[in-house]
Amino acid sequence: MKLPEEHIETIAALGYTVTEARFLYLVATHSGYFTLRHFLAYSGAHYGKRSTSLAQKLLRRGHASVRDYMGTGLVFHLFSRLLYARIEKENSSNRRRHSFEYIRTRLVLLDFVLENLDCNFLESEQDKVGFFCETLGVPKDVLPAKVYQGGPNSRPTVRYFVDNFPLFFDSRISGFPPVVSFSYVDSGSASIASLGVHLAAYQVLFRHLSAFRFVYVAPRAASFGRAEKRFRSLVKEPLETDVSGEILRYFAVRCKWERHEYVVPHTEDLEFLCDGRRRFYGQRFEELYRAWLAGSLDEAALRLEFAQITPCRKVSFETYLVRNHRSPVDEKNKRHVNAA
């Protein structure tokens, strides 16, 4: 990963060493939260003067706050508008306070980034939108998006890739067009249903890509098998088959359901409807459904559209066990052992 030296210099000018500035840039860009263990892992140092010095600088300058992690350890939150502005990220959501579960996920995410510094990450929303829309020519309306309502006198704002999970290129993988790696970060407590919701948000984008890789990141391997099974059923298998027939069936079942035509609902249809709502989610599928209802889209036209955007694909799923992750509980216990 090549860090922008001009941004590192502007952070260092606030009174940090170059190593500290590089670490803070990674935190601000990818997580917003960190523990001193993360800094020590990055710098190769041990608990003591260097970690204490960084903590004191951050708190004294008002660039970070420290938060008790459920009584088990300390987590630092890098929130300073001044520091983020120095790297042109003053509007980053990483500056805001978040829930306990969000923090857990960001700590695992930062571990993953620090263990994969040789990868090239798409850092910002602008970077991600630019890659898919300008480099690959993907329509903007198929990107995973969320609409935020403004005040009474402002327009709603559309934001893309709001999950902020790592999107990157692994230098060990080659392909053309560029093989992008998506990811999902499980803090260790997320349900497989949450993965399904995440995959549904990306479903339409996946259909516009001829090759991609999906990496399931977690601190424990317990859910790897279920995650792969869910990815296969929701993404890989549908992408590798003619999906137009399933879309037409989904439209038909959905139409019957919305018109209350089921006297006694068929379990199989209801299960297919629930699965279809996850798989065929997004503005584009809604437009197709409305056109089908209105009679302006027939079966031949729908099959033709999906034949045009369903090339031979190379889709891969991988799991990644975060090697160095320890919760603040582990971190606190280690400090007690060392002190003894």
Side-chain angles (χ1 to χ4, degrees):
M1 182 191 308
K2 183 177 175 60
L3 303 183
E5 290 302 323
E6 65 276 15
H7 287 165
I8 303 305
E9 292 173 2
T10 60
I11 295 178
L14 295 174
Y16 298 98
T17 67
V18 173
T19 298
E20 291 170 343
R22 288 179 174 273
F23 174 74
L24 293 177
Y25 178 87
L26 292 171
V27 172
T29 299
H30 296 285
S31 67
Y33 293 88
F34 71 96
T35 67
L36 291 179
R37 177 189 61 78
H38 287 105
F39 173 65
L40 297 174
Y42 177 75
S43 63
H46 299 285
Y47 277 105
K49 184 176 180 179
R50 291 183 68 178
S51 56
T52 301
S53 175
L54 175 61
Q56 290 176 341
K57 289 178 186 179
L58 287 166
L59 298 177
R60 187 168 57 245
R61 291 170 170 79
H63 295 159
S65 62
V66 66
R67 181 171 177 177
D68 179 72
Y69 197 81
M70 302 295 287
T72 62
L74 299 178
V75 174
F76 289 80
H77 180 206
L78 192 65
F79 70 88
S80 168
R81 179 181 292 274
L82 171 63
L83 191 148
Y84 279 84
R86 290 293 183 99
I87 59 174
E88 301 177 6
K89 291 179 171 62
E90 59 267 37
N91 295 320
S92 171
S93 62
N94 290 338
R95 292 186 55 243
R96 296 193 286 271
R97 286 179 62 87
H98 296 89
S99 67
F100 173 71
E101 181 53 39
Y102 182 94
I103 295 172
R104 290 183 64 180
T105 301
R106 294 296 128 177
L107 295 179
V108 176
L109 188 156
L110 183 59
D111 275 313
F112 174 77
V113 171
L114 295 179
E115 292 177 13
N116 292 276
L117 293 175
D118 55 342
C119 294
N120 295 319
F121 291 84
L122 293 171
E123 294 183 350
S124 67
E125 176 185 13
Q126 183 179 3
D127 292 337
K128 296 170 185 177
V129 172
F131 170 73
F132 288 107
C133 296
E134 297 172 17
T135 304
L136 297 187
V138 171
K140 196 171 186 179
D141 63 1
V142 308
L143 302 181
K146 184 174 181 178
V147 178
Y148 293 88
Q149 299 296 331
N153 300 318
S154 61
R155 294 182 176 181
T157 301
V158 180
R159 301 300 301 270
Y160 300 92
F161 302 99
V162 295
D163 55 84
N164 287 326
F165 288 149
L167 251 169
F168 60 99
F169 301 95
D170 193 324
S171 59
R172 296 164 295 184
I173 299 176
S174 61
F176 187 83
V179 177
V180 62
S181 294
F182 297 87
S183 68
Y184 177 84
V185 180
D186 176 0
S187 68
S189 62
S191 67
I192 293 300
S194 298
L195 172 63
V197 172
H198 178 79
L199 293 173
Y202 281 77
Q203 193 75 260
V204 185
L205 172 58
F206 289 158
R207 291 199 168 278
H208 283 76
L209 304 178
S210 60
F212 66 89
R213 174 174 171 249
F214 190 89
V215 183
Y216 184 87
V217 180
R220 292 186 289 274
S223 59
F224 283 175
R226 289 180 296 149
E228 182 174 10
K229 183 177 179 181
R230 180 59 59 94
F231 180 84
R232 189 187 313 118
S233 65
L234 294 182
V235 178
K236 188 173 177 62
E237 291 177 355
L239 287 180
E240 293 177 345
T241 59
D242 179 9
V243 76
S244 58
E246 294 186 50
I247 295 175
L248 287 166
R249 182 189 171 194
Y250 166 65
F251 286 176
V253 172
R254 177 178 169 181
C255 179
K256 289 180 65 177
W257 177 260
E258 292 176 350
R259 292 178 177 177
H260 307 287
E261 295 180 12
Y262 283 98
V263 177
V264 179
H266 299 291
T267 301
E268 183 180 351
D269 281 358
L270 291 183
E271 291 178 349
F272 184 83
L273 178 62
C274 291
D275 184 56
R277 289 188 188 278
R278 291 192 298 267
R279 291 175 55 192
F280 309 126
Y281 170 84
Q283 181 180 350
R284 183 54 183 154
F285 285 111
E286 285 301 307
E287 292 173 349
L288 292 171
Y289 178 62
R290 298 303 170 191
W292 179 82
L293 281 178
S296 58
L297 177 71
D298 60 17
E299 178 179 342
L302 187 142
R303 290 186 182 279
L304 178 61
E305 172 161 343
F306 279 88
Q308 292 173 340
I309 66 170
T310 311
C312 180
R313 289 188 176 89
K314 182 179 179 181
V315 179
S316 64
F317 174 89
E318 296 181 18
T319 57
Y320 185 95
L321 181 64
V322 176
R323 299 187 300 273
N324 296 321
H325 181 75
R326 291 193 308 275
S327 71
V329 177
D330 299 324
E331 186 175 341
K332 182 180 180 182
N333 291 339
K334 181 182 178 182
R335 289 201 297 271
H336 286 171
V337 171
N338 291 341

